[in-house]
Amino acid sequence: MKNAFIQKSLLVVASAALVTATACGNVDTKEATPAPGTAVKENVTLTMEYNWSSPNADNQLYKERIQKFMAANPDIKIEAQDIPSAQYRTKLRTEAAGNSMPDMFILFPGIEMDPYIDAKVLMPLDEIMDAWKNILPAQALAGYNVDGKQYAIPTKMTFVDIVYYHKDMLAKVGYNQFPKTYTELLDLVKKLKASGVVPIGIGNKNRWPLQSTVLSTVEDRIAGTEFLTKVKQGQAKFTDPDFIKSLAVFDELNKLEAFNADLNTMDEVQQQDYFLQKKAAITMTSSTIDTKFRVSNPEGGDNIGVALFPTIDGGKGTAGKSAGVVQYGIGLSKELKGAKKEAAFKFLKYFYAPELYQELMSKGIVVPAKVDMPADTSKYLKEMLELTKNGDALVFDSVMPAPVKDVIENGLQAITMGQKTPEQVAQDMQAAIEKIKK
């Protein structure tokens, strides 16, 4: 049976970075990091596609590791193509359908792997998995494991639903901390709006932020963690009252003018700058952006608080859960053979060495690995780990098929533009998933 769902027990994964693992000292670093001058038997060129075009701290680190690997292994050349995230998935699926995959590529976990499993274009990594047996727990690997075969190694743990807020802007309207309940959040929105401030800044131009970042947590609070699983199994429907209530949250916030008027024409990078410029008091985005917002913020990050979406009266979910998923596993084409396969394996061992995870932690990024915490780990990363330690909510687009994801993304845009009701969007979604099951 396909493991299409991300493991929901993220406590061990998220908190692993807080623990100095005694096993870390047993990692074979010679195997993980090839010595300069070590070469395969012939010159090799590997093609690679990734979606590291956004200016996130970790993206630059990944690119640097590719360059360092080539410098240490002059007989292996990696020809990389950087594709914007908005186009990446479509391009890769097209290549899979045409059996024209690059040698290496970023692979998303969970249900995102299904098209490539079905097309039989992926190479299992089981023969080299011993390289990570002491630093990556089963929970970290589960998202890239299907039917007992491992297809990629994760770099980071991303919590997609982090609420960031300017403490001073909230304090001006009487809130010294982020609201604990949805009722209080509505009151805060009204007060911020009345003071002339945009309450919540969102950049939904590429359509996924409202779906992945906001809906994942809102749906979990109202319908409960098992709801999406039940929908896939035919035990629940998108037209059920709980899910319609989840969509109604967007309708309610939209009618209160909680969001910036240009939310559907602003992208997620513009959203970050919009928030940093204090044009909005609150924003929601992934934990990866913590580095930009708080760690490397030249004005200091202490005025920016972090929180999770509050509880909702009558909801079946539990407060304190965060929607999380492992990311940036590098998949390999099953067509790799001989020297190219050897070179690709060598690259993966280098790329995912313990120092990668330590460097990520130094940049304030949550990792799924058990490695020594660097001395320069910021207080903000420790705060993020504490905030997300109970995270086990599902990320919507990691468990729902692409056709359903497309319908909800269009539907949320329609709700925020006043073109459709929550009931109409729910009906569209149910029709989409029933069509898939036929």
Side-chain angles (χ1 to χ4, degrees), residues 167-181:
K167 296 177 182 178
D168 57 345
M169 295 177 76
L170 267 62
K172 287 181 181 179
V173 295
Y175 279 82
N176 292 319
Q177 62 179 4
F178 195 78
K180 300 296 184 183
T181 69

Side-chain angles (χ1 to χ4, degrees), residues 191-340:
K191 288 179 178 177
L192 288 169
K193 187 68 179 178
S195 71
V197 173
V198 172
I200 306 172
I202 296 290
N204 196 52
K205 179 180 179 180
N206 291 321
R207 303 189 308 143
W208 62 263
L210 280 180
Q211 166 267 122
S212 186
T213 296
V214 189
L215 179 64
S216 294
T217 186
V218 170
E219 173 273 326
D220 185 81
R221 295 290 186 271
I222 295 175
T225 304
E226 301 301 323
F227 179 77
L228 295 179
T229 303
K230 290 179 178 178
V231 170
K232 291 197 69 176
Q233 295 173 344
Q235 299 172 4
K237 295 183 177 181
F238 285 123
T239 50
D240 289 351
D242 283 340
F243 191 75
I244 292 176
K245 185 178 178 182
S246 301
L247 296 179
V249 167
F250 293 86
D251 192 40
E252 183 170 29
L253 291 173
N254 187 59
K255 288 176 179 176
L256 289 175
E257 298 182 338
F259 305 120
N260 44 304
D262 55 352
L263 84 161
N264 287 316
T265 56
M266 178 186 293
D267 67 28
E268 58 273 15
V269 177
Q270 292 171 316
Q271 167 192 341
Q272 297 161 21
D273 295 334
Y274 187 84
F275 173 74
L276 285 176
Q277 293 164 11
K278 304 187 82 169
K279 293 180 179 178
I282 304 164
T283 194
M284 287 184 68
T285 186
S286 81
S287 56
T288 299
I289 310 303
D290 202 62
T291 301
K292 180 176 182 178
F293 280 179
R294 304 199 296 167
V295 178
S296 58
N297 186 343
E299 297 181 3
D302 287 348
N303 186 52
I304 298 178
V306 291
L308 298 177
F309 201 87
T311 59
I312 299 176
D313 291 342
K316 297 177 180 176
T318 303
K321 293 182 179 179
S322 181
V325 64
V326 290
Q327 285 191 314
Y328 292 158
I330 298 173
L332 302 183
S333 168
K334 71 166 186 179
E335 301 299 328
L336 290 178
K337 293 179 176 62
K340 292 192 70 172

